[in-house]
Amino acid sequence: MIKSKLKHIVREAARQAHAQGQLPSDAFPEVEIEEPKNEAHGDFSTNLAMIMAKVQKMPPRKIAEILQAHLQDAADWILKTDIAGPGFINFFIAPGAWGPVLEAIHAANDQYGASTMGQGHKVQVEFVSSNPTGPLHVGHGRGAAVGDSTARILAFSGYDVQREYYINDSGRQIRTLGLSVLLRYRALFGENVDFPDTCYQGDYITDMARAMKDKHGDGLLAQTEDDAVTTCARYAAGLIIEGIRQDLVDFGVSFDQWFSEQSLYDSGRVDACIAALREKQQVYEKDGALWFKSTDFGDEKDRVVVRNNGITTYFASDIAYHQEKFERGFDTVIDVWGADHHGYIPRMKAAVEASGTNPEQFQVILVQLVNLLRSGEPVAMSTRAGEFVTLQDVVKEVGRDAARFLFLTRHYDSTLDFDLEVAKQKSNDNPVYYVQYVHARIASICRKAAIDVTDDETLDAKALATLTTPEDVQLIKQLNRYPDIIAASARFREPHRVTFYLMTLAGAFHSYYNRQRVLTDDPMATKGRLYLVTAVQKVIRNGLALLGVSAPERM
RNA sequence: GCGCCUGUAGCUCAGUUGGAUAGAGCAACGGACUUCUAAUCCGUAGGCCGCAGGUUCGAAUCCUGCCAGGCGUACCA
């Protein structure tokens, strides 16, 4: 807010300088206001003079001097301006001028940081979409945290967001699942079955076999293998999906829609899609298979959509699925995938483009792997061997808040070491408590305070005016950054920016807490500081909510 | 071989999309609880931003080439 005012003031200064013939060109670039890292460089700065040097054909410092003359009396809250370095203009803001930041926070309350950036554009975020062949593991948890938080941040930033889970309930893996259950089922009746290692090994398979026995008795033994596999597959997939849904609910993640791959076949959508590809001559036959010409759209080789045995590939239904998504009117479709699927991106982009959609409307967030550790030692994980720590296990052991927060303490591009022992610790090593502690501490102050300022419609100007110490100003400046952080986080689809911001804000608060007393004998000063710390509390609560993490009143 | 991601303090990672003297946490060392919660704070120390070129007023950031690690490279999903 202060930044946008400054932006306007600088632009106005440039305009005046041009009008008075001091600047030859009126081709002004967008004014950028940034915050210098070094305090000696003021509260804000602009590099406009440097950027304009080429167009104006003048040295940057000279331009800065011209601009500075027009900035002299632009606003009474600008204490002074400096020209420094190669041509930065630095602004020093009056310590008493930061009150509007707190007013904005209290007025907006849980909407502080929200924006209309998305202008109501329809965005779909599809995430997790784990195959219903087994429970979710830690890697899925990270995808869930990233996808869910991204969706929350986009919605907060004015996008019309829909969250979707794609269920791969068709194809060979599901057959394998059914077979796995059937074989265990037969074993329950004393059959000496040979259990291939291509089948799913986990105990949950045997559990489901027992359930089949309870439900059908020995009825499946009489069926053809094909029918029995189908029965088992349907039952198992349904049960697993239900488990996944419950795990995600326990993790604080919900979806607007669960989309079945099988439904694309049942409705004839996949066949229609392939027919359309033929129509547009985007496919050709070779070696008995049908190939999609993805190389026409930048992929490195063409891809099979119908195998020579007549069965469609996963890619075929995925083309149909993404066409269907865009037909639903989404301006942007975001898929959150595990990094091991990155080779799939070019062909999917190609398919989207071939369907006549601008490929930029299709975006993939590739989430890197999670290395699960316990006290620094890797925990063995192999889905096929059935040895893995499930997301449910992790949430049970370390808690939902810690798990979600830690999944978002890295850029999704970086692999993440997730140490169960560290995640459990209620100490310095665990940033989630560091942030939550701020919320609890402030709640405690409020309980102790004689007055309640949280319902104040308008803030007492006299109380605000007491907030002039360097510690006060520093903390307010930190709060002032929040909307920009959210905007960047939404623009780049990077939830970790919020996480890092919260850790920084928490640090600033703890530091403040140790230097300044909130509740004192001075009623005005106390009131002012209550305005300040409750604003911090609101921003912490607000940011944690975007991460799907709770803000406790006591710890 | 080719493609994608990563390489920043002893360790784990940020770095406002090209800005000023590269930051934080942990670990190490030294301090602060008769105080609104010590799950906290203050201080010290720690750097060839993988290497080498290039682009410009200016590069951890952009381009090229190497080196190292991870992942991928199906008529699997």
Side-chain angles (χ1 to χ4, degrees):
Chain A
M1 163 188 35
I2 293 178
K3 271 170 97 168
S4 60
K5 277 185 195 161
L6 275 177
K7 206 181 244 192
H8 179 76
I9 286 170
V10 172
R11 198 184 301 128
E12 217 30 59
R15 203 167 288 156
Q16 280 175 28
H18 173 68
Q20 297 177 15
Q22 295 163 308
L23 291 177
S25 167
D26 66 347
F28 304 131
E30 181 71 10
V31 179
E32 297 295 339
I33 304 289
E34 45 194 19
E35 292 183 55
K37 295 172 220 165
N38 189 334
E39 259 179 61
H41 296 145
D43 299 302
F44 297 101
S45 70
T46 182
N47 60 356
L48 184 68
M50 286 138 73
I51 295 175
M52 287 205 299
K54 215 169 278 174
V55 188
Q56 303 291 356
K57 301 195 173 80
M58 290 167 76
R61 286 193 71 106
K62 174 87 181 162
I63 299 173
E65 280 167 29
I66 292 169
L67 291 175
Q68 189 186 28
H70 291 277
L71 292 167
Q72 220 54 277
D73 302 306
D76 55 3
W77 46 269
I78 301 177
L79 272 188
K80 63 162 182 167
T81 58
D82 271 354
I83 297 173
F88 288 101
I89 301 173
N90 296 331
F91 298 90
F92 293 79
I93 306 301
W98 296 92
V101 175
L102 297 186
E103 288 175 325
I105 295 169
H106 285 286
N109 209 353
D110 61 356
Q111 289 301 302
Y112 179 65
S115 71
T116 55
M117 184 178 111
Q119 297 179 304
H121 279 82
K122 285 186 71 173
V123 178
Q124 184 200 54
V125 185
E126 182 217 313
F127 59 110
V128 189
S129 299
S130 153
N131 291 338
T133 53
L136 298 177
H137 58 249
V138 233
H140 298 125
R142 187 178 189 190
V146 169
D148 182 60
S149 192
T150 301
R152 288 174 196 238
I153 291 164
L154 288 174
F156 199 56
S157 301
Y159 292 87
D160 179 7
V161 180
Q162 194 250 11
R163 310 132 161 276
E164 186 150 310
Y165 187 115
Y166 184 55
I167 309 167
N168 299 121
D169 52 0
S170 167
R172 211 188 64 189
Q173 285 193 160
I174 293 295
R175 299 294 297 174
T176 305
L177 174 69
L179 180 62
S180 305
V181 174
L182 181 62
L183 293 178
R184 292 297 190 209
Y185 170 85
R186 284 181 183 162
L188 292 176
F189 291 94
E191 270 188 47
N192 193 6
V193 292
D194 173 30
F195 200 81
D197 58 7
T198 50
C199 280
Y200 297 98
Q201 313 281 326
D203 291 340
Y204 65 98
I205 298 291
T206 312
D207 293 343
M208 288 190 290
R210 263 187 222 108
M212 291 305 278
K213 185 182 172 188
D214 293 343
K215 199 170 165 195
H216 297 274
D218 61 357
L220 295 185
L221 296 176
Q223 293 184 8
T224 64
E225 172 155 320
D226 201 45
D227 286 349
V229 165
T230 302
T231 307
C232 289
R234 195 164 296 159
Y235 173 79
L239 201 69
I240 290 172
I241 280 291
E242 199 37 58
I244 287 173
R245 194 196 305 256
Q246 190 56 50
D247 286 354
L248 287 167
V249 166
D250 293 343
F251 197 48
V253 174
S254 61
F255 291 89
D256 298 307
Q257 191 167 342
W258 294 70
F259 196 101
S260 154
E261 180 189 11
Q262 185 60 44
S263 75
L264 291 167
Y265 287 100
D266 296 345
S267 66
R269 180 104 212 171
V270 178
D271 288 340
C273 173
I274 290 169
L277 288 172
R278 284 186 202 274
E279 184 80 15
K280 288 190 278 183
Q281 302 190 336
Q282 289 170 333
V283 288
Y284 61 91
E285 310 244 1
K286 193 182 90 181
D287 304 332
L290 191 69
W291 298 70
F292 169 61
K293 294 188 198 171
S294 48
T295 48
D296 284 0
F297 304 94
D299 196 6
E300 60 183 12
K301 56 176 287 198
D302 292 337
R303 308 291 174 174
V304 170
V305 285
V306 183
R307 296 194 281 250
N308 63 10
N309 62 7
I311 296 174
T312 52
T313 60
Y314 173 84
F315 183 44
S317 53
D318 230 2
I319 296 173
Y321 178 41
H322 283 78
Q323 273 181 8
E324 198 274 348
K325 287 186 180 200
F326 281 106
E327 277 173 31
R328 278 189 258 163
F330 294 113
D331 298 297
T332 305
V333 164
I334 300 173
D335 285 11
V336 180
W337 294 348
D340 52 341
H341 289 76
H342 73 257
Y344 201 72
I345 296 176
R347 83 189 69 166
M348 203 61 243
K349 280 239 180 226
V352 168
E353 193 175 354
S355 318
T357 303
N358 180 347
E360 296 198 355
Q361 290 175 256
F362 172 66
Q363 299 167 1
V364 178
I365 295 177
L366 271 188
V367 183
Q368 289 291 334
L369 309 176
V370 179
N371 299 313
L372 193 66
L373 308 173
R374 189 178 288 283
S375 304
E377 295 298 315
V379 176
M381 295 252 283
S382 158
T383 308
R384 230 186 38 190
E387 293 168 8
F388 47 76
V389 178
T390 64
L391 175 62
Q392 194 187 33
D393 293 338
V394 171
V395 170
K396 228 175 250 172
E397 183 168 347
V398 312
R400 167 177 143 182
D401 285 343
R404 287 196 65 139
F405 195 94
L406 289 173
F407 282 136
L408 297 170
T409 52
R410 300 268 182 286
H411 188 139
Y412 55 71
D413 255 357
S414 300
T415 54
L416 168 67
D417 290 338
F418 190 101
D419 194 307
L420 289 163
E421 293 305 321
V422 173
K424 264 197 297 199
Q425 257 168 42
K426 300 189 171 175
S427 74
N428 270 342
D429 290 335
N430 202 343
V432 61
Y433 299 115
Y434 185 78
V435 174
Q436 286 183 319
Y437 190 43
V438 171
H439 192 269
R441 260 189 159 172
I442 295 170
S444 171
I445 294 173
C446 290
R447 282 193 296 271
K448 218 142 240 173
I451 55 167
D452 182 6
V453 299
T454 52
D455 294 329
D456 282 17
E457 288 285 323
T458 52
L459 304 194
D460 185 335
K462 273 188 216 150
L464 277 179
T466 63
L467 298 170
T468 54
T469 69
E471 287 84 2
D472 293 325
V473 172
Q474 215 175 344
L475 198 49
I476 299 173
K477 281 172 75 173
Q478 199 58 247
L479 295 172
N480 186 46
R481 293 189 183 114
Y482 185 65
D484 285 348
I485 298 291
I486 299 301
S489 184
R491 182 171 307 118
F492 302 116
R493 291 90 163 92
E494 292 176 348
H496 77 282
R497 288 169 184 264
V498 178
T499 316
F500 277 93
Y501 169 81
L502 288 175
M503 292 192 280
T504 307
L505 175 61
F509 173 78
H510 286 311
S511 178
Y512 182 89
Y513 182 90
N514 277 274
R515 283 172 191 268
Q516 301 284 356
R517 221 187 136 72
V518 176
L519 306 178
T520 61
D521 295 338
D522 180 345
M524 264 316 152
T526 298
K527 201 174 187 184
R529 294 210 160 144
L530 281 171
Y531 286 151
L532 174 56
V533 299
T534 50
V536 171
Q537 190 184 30
K538 283 177 179 178
V539 173
I540 292 278
R541 189 190 301 143
N542 188 326
L544 285 175
L546 293 176
L547 305 181
V549 175
S550 72
E553 296 291 318
R554 292 170 203 272
M555 286 173 73

